[in-house]
Amino acid sequence: MTVPALRPFRAEIPQSALDDLQNRLRGALWPDDLPAEYGVTNERVRALAEYWLEKFDWRAVEARLNAYPQFLTEIDGETIHFLHVRSSRPDATPLVLTHGWPGSIVEYLDVIGPLTEPESADAPAFHLVIPSLPGFGFSGPTRSAGWGTHRTAAAWAELMSRLGYESYGAVGNDAGSMISPEIGRLAPEKVVGVHVTQLFAFPSGDPAEMADLSEADQAALAHLQWFYENMFSFNTLHSQQPHTLAFALADSPLGLLAWNAQLFGEHLDAEFVLANVALYWLTRTAGSSIRFYYEDAHNTARPEGPTTVPTGLAMFAGDFQSIRRFAERDHANIVSWNAYDVASAGGGPRDAAGHYAAHEATEVLVADIRAFFASLNRGTDWPVLTAAHEALRSAIAGVTDFSAPTPCSQWNVTQVLQHAAGDQLGYAAFITGSGGPDFDPFSPSGELEERPSDYLEPALQTAAAAFATVSPDATEVPTPLPQGALPAPVAVGAAALDAAVHAWDIAKASGQKSPLTPDLAEALLPVAHQLAEPLRGFAYAPALKAEADDDAVATLLRYLGRNPQWTA
């Protein structure tokens, strides 16, 4: 199949469209004025409309967009627009940045320079891909249905692969905070980390979840309830009858301005608000953009289980306040959680100060993104774990019969796979304090609903990301072993030993060449000597007698009670 081409793009709105906009604003019909409790006020909309007519320069916005490389491509039948700004640094990490409604790619223009070309050589640098959501701006209007969170996440994964990025991070705000974790769920082997400004996790209805909530969490719930009772009409209408509203938004820039301005705080500068609103108007995407809510509300397929990719939150006061207890239920690998209060002004609870953090608090958000992804890069400090995980991946890839018996007594290949994955999740859970396997790894069922590789990969990614947060000189790293906390090299070695030996079990059962190499076995033997004795009888059998011609692999296996010559 031929991959659709990437076509260079420039924003060039016809002058006739700008003239028509001016005429419509001048001839706008105004409703009677009412107090703020009835909605956005005439005073607020009139001030923005007058600025739009008299001071706002769309051509300046175009010039700012056109200062960066822009492209169009076709994904899943729709035209997708994106900025692609590469850093000059060879060590830059690719990121895909996703906006929400009523925002746009304009949200992220302020962070492009600091993230791609940091002033300090010690600061991490990033290649940036900033797509317009399907149905938004130059990615619309969409012609097909179904463009909600999950379809968009799949499109972004395809876009990053199409650009040649096989390892990258995902950053998001608003709808982007829902889409970015789903990219990690879809491509955990490629997404190194997910950084968002909201983790939209809500009470499940279980009374136990509500017990002993802190005062801060109770206040967050109270504000969420207030928002639902006073500001949620846009969500309900978008989710139920977006096309009914689309007639008004498509015909009146004043109506679009008022509708979108309800979620642009009064403290925001008019240039930022109008750049976003004008982009919707001039691309005729006011109606297609709000269908995002309808598609999500009517999507009956829901992913099961928490996300596992390393996740970081930068939460801003005045915006949606995430509650960690609920977030950890939905995201098993939260490794960074920071809250900031940087609002210089606000217009009360309707203002949501901090929601557009990339514009409002650029330096703070950039610093948090840098720190989060820099912390993940420490995963290269543990080559022994990487080698053991690769051995397990290799063994699984070569299996043809997952019901075959293995050197692990009474367990077939599938059960060993489940046990090995569960152990890796267990190590990660002890380090991060959240997540973990949802079954007893010592009682594996032997039944899988997904492909074995799809089952294994999130566990390996989760463990690697958890150990990436561990300093090499840490003296007490929590582990699920009877020994408890261990020095970092021993804790990492324990997880690697578990993965490598089970890789041998699976390969042996499948008639494959052993992925447990002499070099890896030699590195793991000292760890085995430190850890094996308390585990005899339930994890390891009694040690077998060494033989004169044993190599490092055979020596390790015999010490752990496994016969190197085992056959089914």
Side-chain angles (χ1 to χ4, degrees), residues 65 68-70 81-85 105 109 112 128-131:
L65 290 172
Y68 302 109
Q70 298 174 77
H81 163 261
F82 61 98
L83 278 65
H84 186 196
V85 188
I105 55 172
L109 295 181
I112 292 176
L128 302 184
V129 178
I130 310 175

Side-chain angles (χ1 to χ4, degrees), residues 93-98 126-129 156 160 165-172 180 183-184 190-195 309-310 369 372-373 376:
T93 299
L95 299 181
V96 54
L97 280 63
T98 309
F126 303 91
H127 304 307
L128 302 184
V129 178
W156 280 195
M160 295 303 280
Y165 295 132
E166 294 303 308
S167 177
Y168 55 89
V171 173
S180 297
I183 304 173
K190 296 182 179 181
V191 178
V192 297
V194 169
H195 185 282
V309 168
I369 291 172
F372 171 70
F373 284 101
L376 303 182

Side-chain angles (χ1 to χ4, degrees), residues 412-446:
N412 63 23
V413 173
T414 299
Q415 290 170 301
V416 173
L417 165 61
Q418 290 175 310
H419 172 77
D423 280 354
Q424 294 301 304
L425 291 174
Y427 279 102
F430 269 73
I431 292 170
T432 64
S434 64
D438 57 2
F439 67 100
D440 180 359
F442 288 91
S443 297
S445 67

Side-chain angles (χ1 to χ4, degrees), residues 175 290 308 539:
I290 63 177
T308 58

Side-chain angles (χ1 to χ4, degrees), residues 6-85:
L6 307 179
R7 309 191 304 276
F9 175 83
R10 285 178 58 83
E12 294 175 328
I13 296 296
Q15 185 59 43
S16 59
L18 299 179
D19 294 341
D20 176 72
L21 170 61
Q22 290 273 315
N23 291 334
R24 287 172 181 266
L25 287 171
R26 289 192 180 95
L29 300 177
W30 290 81
D32 294 335
D33 200 3
L34 290 171
E37 54 264 33
Y38 286 86
V40 181
T41 63
N42 285 37
E43 179 184 14
R44 163 77 165 148
V45 179
R46 191 175 296 278
L48 287 170
E50 289 176 354
Y51 193 100
W52 202 352
L53 262 172
E54 299 170 5
K55 298 180 181 179
F56 180 73
D57 182 358
W58 169 255
R59 295 303 185 198
V61 176
E62 279 189 340
R64 195 175 178 200
L65 290 172
N66 292 334
Y68 302 109
Q70 298 174 77
F71 300 88
L72 301 177
T73 192
E74 303 296 320
I75 300 180
D76 200 9
E78 295 292 348
T79 299
I80 300 299
H81 163 261
F82 61 98
L83 278 65
H84 186 196
V85 188

Side-chain angles (χ1 to χ4, degrees), residues 126 133 215 266 455 529:
F126 303 91
L133 285 172
E215 290 186 9
E266 293 184 12
Y455 176 83
H529 286 154

